[in-house]
Amino acid sequence: MGCIDVTGYVLAGGKSTRMGTDKAAIALHGRTLLERAMETMREVTAEVFILGPKQLYGSFGMVVEDIFPDCGPLGGIHAALSCSKSQFNLVMAVDTPFISAGLLRYLAQRAVQSGAMVTTLEINGYTQPLCAVYSLEFLPVAEAALRAGNYKIAPLFAKDRTVTIGAEEMAQFAFTPEMLDNLNTPQDLERAQQRWTEPAKEKA
């Protein structure tokens, strides 16, 4: 399948305090989490950027640095939208290695078809703002929140301008909630290493 008219962003910057080391550089079956995320994203869109410090990630690809530093993931999303030339922008966290290109492609297609400000997933009642598509309309919303010191993302989503994809809709296309599992601790990484087998990984 061809690429969709969205720009992709892998959110790599983060404190990684519970993991104890930079999660983007952690190896999972021979490739770093950042390399895996970039490869998955490139199956969906031709233009992929890394959100984080150039000093850390400049050797991996094109990097976009925060305009509002030390403000968490919202700062990265704001930076992405500030530089983007695309109406729709696909964001995924670097520490979610089980997300498939198929799921990202479906998310992007729903965003383009709906024209929503935000298109996101909801798992067990929790919105997933780090696996979502943001239109440029979200930029002023993010900037106003950052300037006000409000760094939580999901409360910024306007109900009438947000498309939420739940587990039931995901299941229609064989996408599972477990695809959104993220790696925060060494124990999470150990479980991921045990779980990871290439044939079992969702193919696009």
Side-chain angles (χ1 to χ4, degrees):
M1 296 180 66
C3 291
I4 299 174
D5 188 20
V6 298
T7 300
Y9 295 91
V10 176
L11 189 62
K15 301 294 185 185
S16 301
T17 49
R18 285 188 285 169
M19 185 65 76
T21 187
D22 181 13
K23 287 191 281 190
I26 289 174
L28 182 61
H29 280 254
R31 285 178 289 170
T32 66
L33 294 186
L34 180 55
E35 288 168 337
R36 286 190 176 279
M38 296 278 287
E39 288 171 12
T40 302
M41 189 71 85
R42 284 186 178 124
E43 291 187 49
V44 181
T45 174
E47 194 167 28
V48 180
F49 293 86
I50 302 163
L51 300 174
K54 285 182 181 178
Q55 183 180 354
L56 289 178
Y57 308 122
S59 62
F60 290 93
M62 298 180 291
V63 174
V64 175
E65 295 188 299
D66 288 356
I67 298 168
F68 290 85
D70 301 319
C71 293
L74 183 60
I77 293 167
H78 170 270
L81 298 178
S82 295
C83 77
S84 181
K85 297 180 176 63
S86 300
Q87 179 64 27
F88 297 100
N89 302 274
L90 176 60
V91 175
M92 71 173 289
V94 74
D95 64 350
T96 48
F98 296 103
I99 290 179
S100 72
L103 177 56
L104 294 180
R105 185 178 293 110
Y106 180 73
L107 193 62
Q109 288 171 337
R110 289 282 273 116
V112 172
Q113 289 165 1
S114 69
M117 181 185 294
V118 180
T119 305
T120 186
L121 304 173
E122 185 176 278
I123 306 297
N124 297 325
Y126 290 96
T127 303
Q128 305 291 319
L130 303 188
C131 185
V133 179
Y134 294 86
S135 82
L136 292 182
E137 289 181 79
F138 191 71
L139 176 57
V141 176
E143 181 150 343
L146 288 165
R147 292 189 182 280
N150 300 325
Y151 304 147
K152 291 187 176 180
I153 303 169
L156 303 177
F157 295 171
K159 288 185 178 180
D160 62 340
R161 297 290 294 123
T162 301
V163 168
T164 303
I165 298 168
E168 187 173 328
E169 183 176 344
M170 289 174 63
Q172 294 177 21
F173 302 92
F175 302 135
T176 66
E178 290 75 24
M179 286 183 174
L180 275 295
D181 289 351
N182 64 333
L183 311 185
N184 286 318
T185 67
Q187 291 76 23
D188 291 341
L189 177 59
E190 186 177 343
R191 282 192 292 270
Q193 289 169 334
Q194 292 171 352
R195 171 180 166 185
W196 188 276
T197 55
E198 288 297 340
K201 186 171 184 278
E202 172 72 21
K203 300 298 181 182

